[in-house]
Amino acid sequence: MKKIEFFEANYNYAVWAVETPNQWTEKYNLFKISYYEEMKNSCETDGISEEIWKDWYREWQSIRFCIESKLQPVIAELVVYRNTVDTFFRE
């Protein structure tokens, strides 16, 4: 009964904790692949030189990397929490 109560009380957080790292990884991969191509195509269409748009992308990438770096400790804590929840329910 305690496991059911624990699960009901923490269900939304548990789902969020499990899904968040995957979503961040997917979005970062999307940024590295798709957004690069989108920026390239858009800038080429607008006549913006490769040197300029690559500088813009590098700046954007630097900002995104900083954000991702700050989130890694949070994501690591979520993984520990997820594993704790898994262990709790498996025992």
Side-chain angles (χ1 to χ4, degrees), residues 23-35:
Q23 290 173 353
W24 274 90
T25 300
E26 288 173 16
K27 288 183 180 183
Y28 190 70
N29 288 335
L30 178 68
F31 166 76
K32 292 289 287 182
I33 298 166
S34 297
Y35 292 0

Side-chain angles (χ1 to χ4, degrees), residues 63-80:
I63 293 167
R64 283 294 301 261
F65 183 77
C66 183
I67 293 167
E68 299 293 328
S69 296
K70 302 254 187 263
L71 286 172
Q72 284 303 320
V74 174
I75 291 171
E77 288 180 33
L78 291 174
V79 169
V80 169

